Amino acid sequence: MKALSNMTNMANMINIEVNAEHRYTVSIGSDWREEIARITQKHSKIFIVAPQSLRDLLALDGTATHSIYYSPDGESQKSYETLVDIWNSLAAAQIGRKDAIIGIGGGATTDLAGFAAATWLRGIDWYAIPTTLAAMVDASVGGKTGINTPAGKNLVGAFHSPQSVSIDLSFLSTLSDRDFSAGLAEVIKTGIIADESILQLLESAEGVEGARAHSADLIAKSVAVKARVVSSDFKEGKLREILNFGHTFGHAIEKFNDYSLRHGEAVSIGIMYALFLSESLAQLPSTQTKRIAQLLEKYGLPTKVSVGTFEALFLLMQGDKKVRAEQLRFVGVSEVGKPVWFEGVERELAKTIYERILQ
Ligand code: GLY
């Protein structure tokens, strides 16, 4: 991938443009309170969705023009029940076509808030203020919104881009090392598919503390890649699928564990799966697989699966959105920065790869 031409650096703020169904800016280094004030000037009413766990930190009071909806924490908020509750609350707050929703939280919250915005009155404006590393580098950027259903993750959703994404780096200090590292899995994924300098930065950083010190740089590099990909393939015709590297197996792991693992932790295992598959199908040198395994482990991310889970994981992979004509499809790499697509991966090979990442 080429130099990051979609990025501008102004007075401690890095702005990255995304050109999807409309243009919008991802601002790294903004202040969330100032952002809400800015958004408030543009709309007569705003409806804020944030998870319960941020209630004390945000200390926001509802007013006649600002409604606050606190959603359940974690992945469970991406449910039909919560969505219906939000629709009812939007109706009660009389949110109209010119009003807007703001999603403040991790990826589950921005996915949910964005989907509420996509579906309310056939689509109203929304703004993302991500508070986790995973949401900053991935979920809040790109316009994928949605909820989970018993059949799988993100099977119900809409492409509905935010009006802006405002990244306030101060939220990162509220994250445990485990949550920060889970976000690093998406950063590492981005490095593998498109920007080796991300991997080099993380290889040279002194553990999680060291990586935290490079947060702005890591986020900027990751968002720049995502912005470039989304700007050329918003609706995931093909290129955008590279962002799902590690996610076919990762989503199956996540669902199999009933969302008890962090998304990034499941993706970390999925990355290992995709790398071993790439060794078999795209001659990825095994030294690269070892290199990435070391990097994931350096940041405390899991790289193995438990014995006896293949049948269930295979079934879950068959429910993945990327399956076409019942054939498993994966994204791999032939080398760092060179994505490749694997169509029709056979069950036997899928099982052999699974056996390579057993505990
Ligand atoms: N998280 C993958 C994508 O936004 O396409």
Side-chain angles (χ1 to χ4, degrees), residues 138-139 141-144 159 186 189 226 230 236 240-241 243-244 247 263:
D138 188 41
V141 181
K144 279 188 181 174
F159 288 99
E186 293 286 359
K189 170 206 80 177
K226 180 142 192 186
V230 167
E236 200 164 285
R240 185 168 177 166
E241 286 187 340
L243 300 171
N244 295 328
H247 282 61
H263 173 69

